[in-house]
Amino acid sequence: MPLSGVKVLDLTTVLMGPFATQLLGDFGADVTKVEAAGGDSVRGIGPGRNEGMGAAFLAVNRNKRSISIDLKHESGRQLLLDLARTADVLVYNLRPHVMEKLGLTYEVFEAINPKLLYVGVYGYGRHGCYAKRPAYDDLIQAMTAIPSLYGQSTGSDPRYVPFPVVDRFVGLYAAMTIASALYERTRSGRGQRIDIPMFETMASVVLGDHIGGHAFVPPIGPPGYARQLSRSRRPYPTRDGYLAILPYNDQQWRRFFRSVDKLDLFENDPRFADIGARTRNIDALYDIVADILTTRTTDEWLDVMAEADIPATPLYGLSDVFEDPHLQEVGFFREQEHPTEGRVLSMRVPSEWSRTPPQHDRPAPRMGADFQDILSELGLSPERIEALTSAGVVKAGK
């Protein structure tokens, strides 16, 4: 496994941080989830068979062990420091000033383990005026103009993307950052503090597409990418459903217009002569496509587009994803027996490796389920473990 031997302390909750640490666990890291007494709040989201084991929690916490520690108790804080002495990575998503109040700053950990990567994944960079603000996916979507872009492109009210795109993207970026930092440490032998703010990360993502005329100083035009903001960029109605289609380059557009017997439109209309002209006239172009596609059924158009090698697909609902034949053939969905939740469904790591394939053999844990094993690895005696649980420093798992 690529990250075999890497020890990660996961102090994160909700989605962004747990998704990042799950990715590390998928690639072989030994991830210990350190939960507060009440547990990760996401444990209660979604349908579930048992309390604290909802679908949302199961989806981002596989390949982890769990221990519940009261970090406001001095003995709990000391226990975390003991765990950190042999850890490679500590990931948290509390705001930095909260970590300071808990006495869990980078300097504290650096003093006991100078090789530790101390990674914060939270709302806003600690040197800016928003540093102490709380943040969630919806708020960062709003501040990076995502709902406004939706409203601009559809002519409707602003709307959030209907899945936590910020949490997922920033979580993925965090996992990549940690893997890169681990590689750097193999050369330097030193750990470091790493901060991954949601706002700055997503601003770079959104503006990467929509910087527009502001790419130049002074600006030579407004921000925004016309094709992505086109009111006509949508799945197109067919005679019996919808079709998603995206001719993009000159060759694809030529084949598209040829396949619908309108090649003269492509060859003779200057609005569609090249990608620059098409982008400037994207609404008109997509309106033509929309009119054409109403004349046949979805399956008929899929045959036409396959013959012309034009990127096209039917419009799926969520249930259709589970039935997709390609995902079935590649073994994307995996059933697994959970020790307390029965049969559960998960998704495999999407990448394929010829020598060291990632795996996920450990299902998401019950809160505190692994406390005895984790504390025993620290060399604590059964009597000491009992004393910590009796004092409420460690919550016994179920």
Side-chain angles (χ1 to χ4, degrees), residues 260-301:
V260 298
D261 297 324
K262 293 185 179 293
L263 184 58
D264 61 314
L265 191 61
F266 176 77
E267 292 182 336
N268 299 323
D269 194 323
R271 294 178 300 170
F272 312 134
D274 55 44
I275 192 168
R278 288 193 297 273
T279 301
R280 290 190 297 272
N281 297 282
I282 198 67
D283 285 342
L285 177 61
Y286 281 176
D287 285 346
I288 290 170
V289 174
D291 288 341
I292 291 170
L293 294 182
T294 60
T295 61
R296 301 188 191 184
T297 67
T298 297
D299 284 343
E300 288 172 339
W301 280 125

Side-chain angles (χ1 to χ4, degrees), residues 345-397:
L345 184 70
S346 63
M347 294 154 281
R348 73 167 176 82
V349 179
S351 59
E352 296 186 21
W353 299 53
S354 64
R355 289 192 301 104
T356 57
Q359 300 174 14
H360 52 88
D361 295 326
R362 184 189 294 272
R366 300 281 291 183
M367 189 181 73
D370 306 290
F371 79 101
Q372 290 187 347
D373 290 341
I374 294 168
L375 297 183
S376 295
E377 290 170 6
L378 285 178
L380 274 61
S381 66
E383 293 77 16
R384 179 57 177 158
I385 294 174
E386 174 62 28
L388 289 169
T389 56
S390 297
V393 176
V394 175
K395 184 177 178 62

Side-chain angles (χ1 to χ4, degrees), residues 34-358:
V34 181
E35 302 188 63
D40 191 332
S41 60
V42 170
R43 285 183 175 275
I45 296 178
R49 295 187 177 122
N50 293 290
E51 183 180 355
M53 294 299 286
F57 179 82
L58 295 177
V60 291
N61 285 285
R62 67 179 179 230
N63 279 334
K64 301 179 186 181
R65 299 185 294 172
S66 173
I67 185 170
S68 178
I69 302 176
D70 182 359
L71 295 178
K72 294 180 181 179
H73 194 293
E74 179 55 32
S75 295
R77 177 180 174 276
Q78 187 58 53
L79 194 56
L80 178 65
L81 294 177
D82 290 340
L83 289 169
R85 292 180 194 278
T86 58
D88 297 288
V89 184
L90 182 146
V91 188
Y92 68 93
N93 65 348
L94 295 172
R95 284 166 286 173
H97 74 280
V98 178
M99 293 292 281
E100 290 175 9
K101 289 181 179 179
L102 291 171
L104 298 174
T105 63
Y106 171 59
E107 290 74 20
V108 169
F109 287 97
E110 183 186 28
I112 63 171
N113 182 358
K115 291 187 176 182
L116 183 72
L117 300 175
Y118 178 90
V119 183
V121 189
Y122 49 83
Y124 308 92
R126 60 194 177 97
H127 298 298
C129 59
Y130 303 154
K132 292 187 177 182
R133 286 188 183 182
Y136 285 100
D137 185 285
D138 289 0
L139 304 184
I140 301 302
Q141 284 199 44
M143 290 191 69
T144 54
I146 293 173
S148 297
L149 291 169
Y150 175 88
Q152 183 177 346
S153 65
T154 62
S156 63
D157 292 335
R159 292 289 301 274
Y160 300 120
V161 176
F163 78 97
V165 61
V166 174
D167 283 344
R168 291 290 183 177
F169 192 95
V170 179
L172 182 63
Y173 182 77
M176 183 196 73
T177 300
I178 292 167
S180 299
L182 285 168
Y183 179 72
E184 189 280 335
R185 196 186 64 175
T186 64
R187 300 196 305 271
S188 68
R190 300 169 56 193
Q192 58 184 306
R193 174 176 187 155
I194 299 173
D195 296 277
I196 304 170
M198 300 165 71
F199 182 38
E200 290 93 313
T201 302
M202 285 308 295
S204 70
V205 172
V206 174
L207 294 180
D209 285 309
H210 289 289
I211 193 168
H214 282 243
F216 304 92
V217 181
I220 62 173
Y225 177 18
R227 190 188 75 80
Q228 292 183 4
L229 291 172
S230 171
R231 57 180 168 74
S232 299
R233 178 179 175 252
R234 64 189 189 279
Y236 298 106
T238 64
R239 186 177 292 175
D240 65 347
Y242 289 88
L243 183 74
I245 179 174
L246 186 59
Y248 192 80
N249 58 40
D250 290 349
Q251 294 78 15
Q252 289 170 344
W253 278 112
R254 178 180 296 277
R255 293 198 302 271
F256 171 80
F257 280 114
R258 180 185 294 118
S259 69
V260 298
D261 297 324
K262 293 185 179 293
L263 184 58
D264 61 314
L265 191 61
F266 176 77
E267 292 182 336
N268 299 323
D269 194 323
R271 294 178 300 170
F272 312 134
D274 55 44
I275 192 168
R278 288 193 297 273
T279 301
R280 290 190 297 272
N281 297 282
I282 198 67
D283 285 342
L285 177 61
Y286 281 176
D287 285 346
I288 290 170
V289 174
D291 288 341
I292 291 170
L293 294 182
T294 60
T295 61
R296 301 188 191 184
T297 67
T298 297
D299 284 343
E300 288 172 339
W301 280 125
L302 286 172
D303 289 340
V304 170
M305 298 306 146
E307 178 67 25
D309 195 24
I310 301 296
T313 181
L315 175 65
Y316 277 4
L318 283 174
S319 296
D320 297 314
V321 180
F322 291 96
E323 303 300 325
D324 181 82
H326 176 86
L327 294 179
Q328 297 292 334
E329 289 175 7
V330 300
F332 180 74
F333 295 106
R334 177 183 178 187
E335 292 186 7
Q336 191 174 22
E337 193 68 32
H338 193 284
T340 62
E341 306 310 303
R343 204 73 177 162
V344 297
L345 184 70
S346 63
M347 294 154 281
R348 73 167 176 82
V349 179
S351 59
E352 296 186 21
W353 299 53
S354 64
R355 289 192 301 104
T356 57

Side-chain angles (χ1 to χ4, degrees), residues 14-33:
V14 191
L15 177 57
M16 176 178 58
F19 176 53
T21 53
Q22 176 175 274
L23 291 171
L24 300 176
D26 286 348
F27 288 103
D30 176 8
V31 180
T32 297
K33 186 175 180 69

